[in-house]
Amino acid sequence: MEISFHEEIESLKLGDGEVFHGEGILAVTKALLQSGVAYVGGYQGAPVSHLLDVMVQAREYLDRLGVHVEACTNEASAAAMLGASINYPARGAVTWKSIVGTNVASDALSYLSTAGVLGGAVIIAGEDYGEGASVALERTHAMAMKSSMWLLDPRPNLPTIVRMVECAFELSEASNSPVIMELRIRACHLQGSFVARDNRAPAISALHRLDGPPAFDYARLSHPPETFRQEKLKAEVRLPAARRFIRDRKLNEVFEGTESGVGIICQGGLYNSLMRALQMLGLADNFGNSRLPILALNAVYPLVPEEITGFCAGKRAVLLLEEGMPEFIEQDIATTLRRADVQTRLHGKDMLLLAGEYTAEVIVRGLARFLAEHAAHLDTSSGARWLETVDASRARAAKLMGAPLPVRPPTFCVGCPERPVFAAMKLVKREIGEPHVSADIGCHAFATFEPFSQGNSILGYGMGLASAAGVGPMMSGRTMSIMGDGGFWHNGFLSGVASNLLNRGDGVLVIMKNGYTSATGTQNVVSSPDEGEKALAREASAVHTDRTIENTLRGVGVKWLRNVYTYRVGEMAKTLREAFTTAEPGLKVVIAEAECQLERQRRLRPILARLLSSGRRVVRTRFGVDEDTCTGDHSCIRLSGCPSLTIKASSDPLKLDPVAHVNNACVGCGLCGEVAHAAILCPSFFRAEIVQNPGAWDRLLDRVRGTLIGWLQPA
């Protein structure tokens, strides 16, 4: 039972004059359809997952429009889809997560931008930068500059975002170049509204097919000697065309202010934070009217020199808000001003943070410094008082705490099938010693936190095994590599497994087979359980019938292969121990299999609800701790790490230490008991069955048990 986007799909069908209400990334999806997009592909990832998820679930409607949608196996395959726009006037859009996705797709993007496009080609990149990021803090800007792809960073309000999507296709076609639109987390999840237009069916589509390819044109190939001509076209034809379009269509916005001596230039995506900072300083009202002139760059690459010089001319100083390093925009503007002999002082990183997210507080501090130097007549005392309040609150909190707050790292979901694997590994390490662990991107990366602390490197999605290639030969023992089934199909099969077999590597690979690409929203992969199996209320001990990963591994030559149900901690520990100690050479693969607990709960919840509403008998399994038996040493917590396994004060006044306790978040996976058994801990865990809508037999059995227990208990 996947997450349903029924309401979101209905909003995609809105027609001319109707009002769309929703979040930013869904507005982008609607804008793509209004723009006549012919094909959409991508690889899911925060904060743009919903774009692809909604479109995949809306296939029936999109088929009626003739829009082709593909959930690609990785970002490179998505970028390659844009090759359709090289020869044909068809608009295409792809999406992925920020710089990590662009890195994977960079090879295809280089060839695409070199050849140029006829139909509009747009990349929607979730700019996952700042405190909410889950990836390396790099920016898409450098990739756009490197390959001469134009970069939009829209001001975060829905009408502007929708207009920029539509203009992105036009800009791409006007300059024959791909266009990237970067959307920060706040822009993707921003709530708002805009007046919709009718969706446009593409002129070329599955409903309106081409008779055949155009006449062969070698100039359309990014291959020598044409690449030399294409490189000149980038600089001498496409770049000027892009600048003309940005200028003529006024993609960048100027907000006039009453103070003519100073001004602010900002990336469009930072505009809302800038306005909040100006409000705190008393320089803007709640309706967005600023006393300081603002140039909001919705198109951050390429910049239009005459727009920059026109805004800066006559001003004493300008402050640039550019998030992240290096300061590409600042260098570009500085060069433009010097060439035009405009003597306006340019400030940026000298007044603000060199790196990191530009929050309202950061901008307030930077603006206060800038205005104190260049506009001292402005009263910014309200901002100073606000900053004093912020600093005082922090100091007071630190004093009250007496020490920093304890670290609360992210962790696996309650009942996650990946937690038992690392619990088993902790047990095995007592015997084999500490191995080098090459971790990977995905849910299993949480094992790098306490209480497991397993993982020496993370180098890319599906790269766990590949990143052990240089370490393995230097180790006296075998290395351990982690990979999810999503990572396996994304990149790990070729970059990891095939490379290891080619080079006759000897190590241990654990593949977390939970049935989905769980870290990005439990999307399906090649080896996901089929619809028929999903519909069944599988018992907790069952495993998937799909054997695609196993067959693939055997097909390329993996000989040592074991499949273990993850919740059987003892069996998992035994298998890992064998993998590390066997004399058999070559790659050892342990497939740790159990369905993603989030997806399992989504699947079971409606089934149980229907049973309960119909008065049918429902049995739920729960685990608990007998506090009379619990010794309070908490070894079970250190080995399990489950959020539902916690502590509470003992009801026994003679026990001073808190005892282990299983709270109501428990999903009945049984890991706590399995760990206690495998590690030979105290037998304090018990398994209970909660019966709802009990029958006559259940009630009779309950009375008999209650009577017997009452006889056995002391008076």
Side-chain angles (χ1 to χ4, degrees):
M1 185 68 182
E2 294 180 351
I3 299 173
S4 173
F5 292 102
H6 174 75
E7 292 182 10
E8 288 84 352
I9 290 170
E10 290 303 308
S11 68
L12 297 183
K13 302 176 184 178
L14 293 175
D16 195 36
E18 295 183 278
V19 178
F20 172 100
H21 297 280
E23 65 176 352
I25 194 59
L26 192 62
V28 171
T29 311
K30 171 62 174 157
L32 293 175
L33 299 180
Q34 293 180 175
S35 302
V37 70
Y39 61 94
V40 179
Y43 192 84
Q44 60 278 343
V48 292
S49 290
H50 281 17
L51 193 159
L52 199 61
D53 290 345
V54 170
M55 282 203 152
V56 167
Q57 290 194 24
R59 267 208 179 102
E60 183 179 345
Y61 171 66
L62 298 180
D63 287 344
R64 296 204 299 269
L65 285 175
V67 179
H68 175 65
V69 179
E70 282 201 9
C72 304
T73 53
N74 60 30
E75 296 85 356
S77 62
M81 283 184 71
L82 293 175
S85 295
I86 294 176
N87 290 286
Y88 306 99
R91 289 182 167 182
V94 294
T95 182
W96 52 66
K97 178 187 180 76
S98 72
I99 189 65
V100 291
T102 308
N103 287 341
V104 174
S106 60
D107 202 16
L109 291 178
S110 293
Y111 284 100
L112 178 75
S113 62
T114 298
V117 295
L118 288 178
V122 176
I123 298 114
I124 309 296
E127 191 73 347
D128 194 4
Y129 184 90
E131 292 181 5
S134 59
V135 295
L137 291 182
E138 294 186 3
R139 298 158 59 199
T140 308
H141 203 112
M143 300 296 289
M145 293 173 63
K146 174 189 75 69
S147 297
S148 294
M149 298 181 290
W150 319 136
L151 182 63
L152 304 183
D153 185 2
R155 188 163 57 91
N157 72 67
L158 263 55
T160 302
I161 290 173
V162 169
R163 178 174 177 254
M164 287 303 115
V165 172
E166 295 169 345
C167 288
F169 284 109
E170 297 171 12
L171 171 60
S172 176
E173 290 162 350
S175 61
N176 303 117
S177 302
V179 174
I180 303 174
M181 176 181 284
E182 59 179 5
L183 293 168
R184 290 170 175 77
I185 293 172
R186 289 182 176 86
C188 287
H189 300 311
L190 174 83
Q191 293 289 323
S193 61
F194 67 93
V195 178
R197 296 191 297 109
D198 289 335
N199 294 332
R200 288 170 48 193
I204 301 172
S205 70
L207 301 180
H208 305 283
R209 296 176 184 271
L210 295 161
D211 294 331
F216 176 74
D217 183 3
Y218 190 80
R220 286 286 163 198
L221 299 175
S222 48
H223 194 269
E226 281 301 318
T227 49
F228 305 108
R229 184 184 69 88
Q230 291 162 348
E231 185 67 10
K232 288 177 67 67
L233 284 174
K234 282 183 180 181
E236 297 175 4
V237 178
R238 298 180 196 166
L239 178 61
R243 283 176 167 154
R244 280 195 303 272
F245 182 93
I246 293 167
R247 181 196 61 211
D248 295 346
R249 293 296 297 274
K250 293 182 170 55
L251 266 58
N252 297 322
E253 301 171 283
V254 176
F255 299 89
E256 301 291 351
T258 57
E259 296 293 329
S260 59
V262 292
I264 302 172
I265 302 176
C266 73
Q267 294 171 278
L270 295 178
Y271 179 84
N272 288 4
S273 296
L274 169 61
M275 290 307 301
R276 178 59 177 160
L278 288 170
Q279 287 176 21
M280 301 308 297
L281 288 163
L283 299 175
D285 60 26
N286 293 330
F287 300 97
N289 299 308
S290 168
R291 292 180 61 183
L292 303 183
I294 299 170
L295 171 58
L297 298 174
N298 293 315
V300 292
Y301 181 75
L303 297 180
V304 181
E306 52 265 40
E307 286 186 348
I308 300 299
T309 56
F311 181 79
C312 293
K315 293 182 173 62
R316 295 188 300 277
V318 167
L319 177 66
L320 171 66
L321 303 184
E322 178 184 7
E323 207 170 43
M325 282 287 282
E327 63 273 54
F328 298 117
I329 301 174
E330 188 172 343
Q331 293 175 21
D332 196 342
I333 291 176
T335 300
T336 298
L337 295 179
R338 296 295 78 78
R339 284 176 177 171
D341 197 25
V342 175
Q343 298 306 311
T344 303
R345 287 283 304 276
L346 176 65
H347 294 281
K349 296 296 181 184
D350 58 332
M351 295 284 185
L352 292 144
L353 294 179
L354 290 177
E357 185 176 6
Y358 279 11
T359 61
E361 181 189 343
V362 169
I363 297 174
V364 167
R365 295 184 188 278
L367 275 172
R369 290 182 61 193
F370 172 73
L371 295 174
E373 183 172 337
H374 296 287
H377 63 282
L378 292 175
D379 180 11
T380 59
S381 58
S382 61
R385 287 193 298 271
W386 179 70
L387 290 174
E388 288 173 2
T389 302
V390 171
D391 293 338
S393 297
R394 287 192 178 126
R396 188 164 59 252
K399 184 177 180 181
L400 289 171
M401 286 297 299
L405 284 171
V407 176
R408 188 182 182 187
T411 186
F412 299 101
C413 298
V414 174
C416 175
E418 299 184 1
R419 181 182 284 106
V421 179
F422 298 102
M425 191 60 203
K426 286 193 76 170
L427 298 176
V428 172
K429 285 196 297 184
R430 296 173 179 177
E431 304 171 36
I432 67 169
E434 191 78 37
H436 175 91
V437 178
S438 292
D440 204 342
I441 292 172
C443 298
H444 34 271
F446 290 140
T448 58
F449 297 111
E450 291 286 357
F452 304 111
S453 301
Q454 296 178 34
N456 300 97
S457 63
I458 296 179
L459 288 174
Y461 196 24
M463 302 295 285
L465 181 57
S467 63
V471 176
M474 299 186 292
M475 287 287 172
S476 56
R478 288 177 176 138
T479 61
M480 176 179 175
S481 304
I482 310 296
M483 192 184 297
D485 42 7
F488 177 85
W489 295 116
H490 176 276
N491 199 5
F493 172 55
L494 289 178
S495 298
V497 176
S499 180
N500 186 280
L501 294 172
L502 175 67
N503 292 283
R504 294 182 172 84
D506 182 24
V508 178
L509 170 64
V510 177
I511 298 177
M512 303 292 186
K513 185 182 174 187
N514 61 29
Y516 311 90
T517 307
S518 298
T520 59
T522 63
Q523 293 86 1
N524 282 3
V525 291
V526 178
S527 53
S528 291
D530 59 37
E531 292 298 322
E533 187 177 356
K534 279 186 192 177
L536 298 175
R538 296 187 294 276
E539 295 296 328
S541 60
V543 293
H544 306 151
T545 57
D546 187 278
R547 287 292 173 266
T548 309
I549 292 178
E550 290 87 338
N551 295 339
T552 301
L553 291 169
R554 290 192 179 96
V556 295
V558 174
K559 294 181 172 56
W560 199 102
L561 179 64
R562 304 287 187 272
N563 188 296
V564 185
Y565 184 59
T566 65
Y567 294 106
R568 296 174 185 145
V569 176
E571 184 180 344
M572 179 62 69
K574 178 183 176 183
T575 304
L576 289 171
R577 189 182 302 110
E578 181 187 355
F580 277 101
T581 57
T582 181
E584 186 173 337
L587 181 65
K588 268 67 68 177
V589 180
V590 178
I591 296 182
E593 183 166 3
E595 186 181 13
C596 168
Q597 191 64 235
L598 274 181
E599 195 68 11
R600 182 174 181 272
Q601 293 301 318
R602 290 182 186 131
R603 180 172 53 79
L604 291 180
R605 196 175 294 117
I607 296 174
L608 295 176
R610 285 195 300 270
L611 292 174
L612 287 171
S613 62
S614 63
R616 300 276 297 277
R617 179 178 182 269
V618 173
V619 180
R620 291 188 297 115
T621 301
R622 282 287 308 277
F623 287 80
V625 176
D626 180 359
E627 67 172 87
D628 291 335
T629 310
C630 177
T631 62
D633 72 341
H634 307 147
S635 294
C636 53
I637 295 175
R638 289 191 293 273
L639 282 170
S640 167
C642 179
S644 68
L645 181 56
T646 180
I647 58 174
K648 71 171 185 178
S650 174
S651 58
D652 185 347
L654 297 179
K655 282 188 176 180
L656 300 179
D657 294 329
V659 294
H661 169 65
V662 179
N663 64 28
N664 286 330
C666 175
V667 296
C669 71
L671 172 62
C672 48
E674 280 283 333
V675 166
H677 177 73
I680 318 175
L681 302 177
C682 62
S684 58
F685 287 91
F686 64 82
R687 177 178 181 272
E689 289 184 347
I690 301 171
V691 181
Q692 293 173 277
N693 296 330
W697 173 252
D698 294 309
R699 297 179 188 280
L700 174 62
L701 196 59
D702 180 62
R703 285 197 295 270
V704 171
R705 286 172 172 165
T707 302
L708 287 173
I709 291 172
W711 290 344
L712 294 173
Q713 283 185 327

